Amino acid sequence: MRVCIVFLLCLAGQAFTASITEEEPIIDDVVEEAQPEVGANPVQVEIGDFDEAIDVVEEEEDITENPCLNHHCKKGKVCEVDEENTPMCVCQDPTTCPAAVGEFEHVCATDNTTYDSSCHFFAQKCSLEGTKKGHKLHLDYIGPCKFIEACMDAELNEFPLRMRDWLKNVLVSLYERDEENNLLTEKQTLRVKKIYENEKRLQAGEHTLDLLAHDFEKNYNMYIFPVHWQFGQLDQHPVDGFLSHTELAPLRAPLIPMEHCTTRFFEQCDADNDKYIALEEWANCFSIKEEDVNKDLVI
């Protein structure tokens, strides 16, 4: 699987991080122009960089010359053949990883260690497979490890205000750019169209927290679908109504260097502390009423 970082910041993303000052422009260095797949979120990192727990289904084709051609391995492993010419996945040697082009390719792991790239990280994680350390080791965020200040209670309460508005504006931005109908599904387009055409919609931009709170109270219905939509974008491996640490990574990894409350927010979302965030828990984190939680909206 080709390693590619796709992280396009639009007006919505700028509004979400507007209150963060004096941060290094880590993400600006990795911007690439690319067209996301249908329903894809253009402001999150492509899942390929974080699928540490995802095994790709092997294709059954008779490849006599090189059995590894259609034998796929998960991140951190490469294919080799044994004495009987049978393909198998083994841990990758970190020295075989491509050299990092720049600091923007560095990643920080949960052990507070900076790795040259996600390739180097997953190779190291694979070497620790089966150990307690390896089980706890995850990719934390994009960029070299840095001091992340503690998230205070008041700041934690402000986080969902910005993120709700950000998600709404991301969908509006997708709708505006979706000239060929390949960014949103037909159902998603119809739902976003209602938001887009609503005269009461708060336009993207830098807003005070009081205004964001007021808008959520007055125009609550505009925020229901964006919250569900983001859950659906993340719930992919497998699609089971729960978000694992790995599934959250494409969203949280780019945000942590800019939003220091990201980790604490997602930890708080896991109300029952089972290491997974259910749709109901996710919706509650964004103050979506229980009666408005609808599994059909995540499709």
Side-chain angles (χ1 to χ4, degrees):
M1 184 182 300
R2 185 173 65 90
V3 177
C4 175
I5 297 181
V6 181
F7 190 68
L8 306 180
L9 289 179
C10 58
L11 289 177
Q14 294 172 357
F16 181 61
T17 58
S19 64
I20 307 301
T21 59
E22 298 181 359
E23 292 284 359
E24 295 180 9
I26 296 175
I27 304 304
D28 292 343
D29 292 335
V30 298
V31 175
E32 293 183 9
E33 290 295 336
Q35 291 297 324
E37 299 176 357
V38 174
N41 185 344
V43 293
Q44 70 187 34
V45 175
E46 187 174 318
I47 187 64
D49 268 9
F50 302 94
D51 55 358
E52 58 188 76
I54 304 167
D55 287 300
V56 181
V57 178
E58 300 172 11
E59 299 177 19
E60 296 182 359
E61 290 189 21
D62 183 21
I63 305 297
T64 56
E65 293 185 0
N66 187 354
C68 281
L69 288 179
N70 279 327
H71 187 90
H72 301 283
C73 302
K74 66 180 182 179
K75 286 290 183 181
K77 292 191 176 185
V78 293
C79 180
E80 291 184 359
V81 294
D82 60 16
E83 296 178 352
E84 299 178 353
N85 207 36
T86 301
M88 59 182 180
C89 294
V90 298
C91 289
Q92 181 175 4
D93 182 347
T95 61
T96 64
C97 290
V101 176
E103 190 175 272
F104 65 86
E105 288 193 20
H106 296 175
V107 296
C108 183
T110 49
D111 62 352
N112 202 36
T113 298
T114 297
Y115 293 86
D116 283 350
S117 68
S118 60
C119 175
H120 292 84
F121 164 76
F122 284 115
Q124 174 65 14
K125 181 175 172 63
C126 182
S127 69
L128 297 172
E129 202 169 65
T131 67
K132 186 175 181 180
K133 182 178 180 181
H135 180 70
K136 292 183 176 181
L137 184 63
H138 297 284
L139 193 153
D140 200 12
Y141 56 86
I142 293 174
C145 294
K146 55 186 273 187
F147 173 73
I148 305 291
E149 60 182 296
C151 175
M152 300 294 102
D153 291 343
E155 295 173 314
L156 183 63
N157 293 332
E158 297 170 356
F159 186 89
L161 294 175
R162 294 192 300 275
M163 192 164 183
R164 276 194 307 251
D165 184 62
W166 179 66
L167 292 175
K168 180 197 66 180
N169 291 329
V170 165
L171 276 175
V172 168
S173 177
L174 280 176
Y175 177 81
E176 292 175 327
R177 294 167 47 206
D178 200 11
E179 297 178 356
E180 298 181 0
N181 299 316
N182 62 352
L183 300 179
L184 296 169
T185 65
E186 184 177 351
K187 286 185 178 180
Q188 290 171 343
T189 298
L190 292 175
R191 287 167 177 151
V192 181
K193 182 179 180 181
K194 293 180 180 180
I195 299 174
Y196 180 79
E197 295 180 345
N198 195 317
E199 296 180 354
K200 297 181 179 180
R201 174 171 60 89
L202 182 65
Q203 299 296 315
E206 296 185 18
H207 303 298
T208 65
L209 295 173
D210 288 341
L211 179 57
L212 292 177
H214 176 77
D215 188 67
F216 179 67
E217 180 181 350
K218 295 297 182 182
N219 298 303
Y220 167 79
N221 289 332
M222 289 192 200
Y223 294 90
I224 296 175
F225 177 60
V227 170
H228 282 77
W229 170 79
Q230 180 63 85
F231 185 92
Q233 297 304 295
L234 297 171
D235 183 25
Q236 298 293 327
H237 301 283
V239 180
D240 58 1
F242 296 90
L243 298 182
S244 65
H245 184 281
T246 300
E247 288 175 312
L248 276 172
L251 179 64
R252 68 185 295 277
L255 290 179
I256 290 178
M258 300 184 295
E259 281 276 356
H260 63 282
C261 283
T262 301
T263 297
R264 187 178 172 191
F265 174 76
F266 287 129
E267 288 176 347
Q268 178 181 272
C269 287
D270 181 19
D272 58 7
N273 294 314
D274 66 349
K275 306 300 182 182
Y276 293 91
I277 300 177
L279 174 59
E280 294 76 12
E281 292 175 316
W282 175 268
N284 182 61
C285 272
F286 292 98
S287 300
I288 301 300
K289 300 173 184 176
E290 184 176 354
E291 59 266 30
D292 293 321
V293 178
N294 186 347
K295 294 181 180 179
D296 292 336
L297 294 181
V298 303
I299 301 175

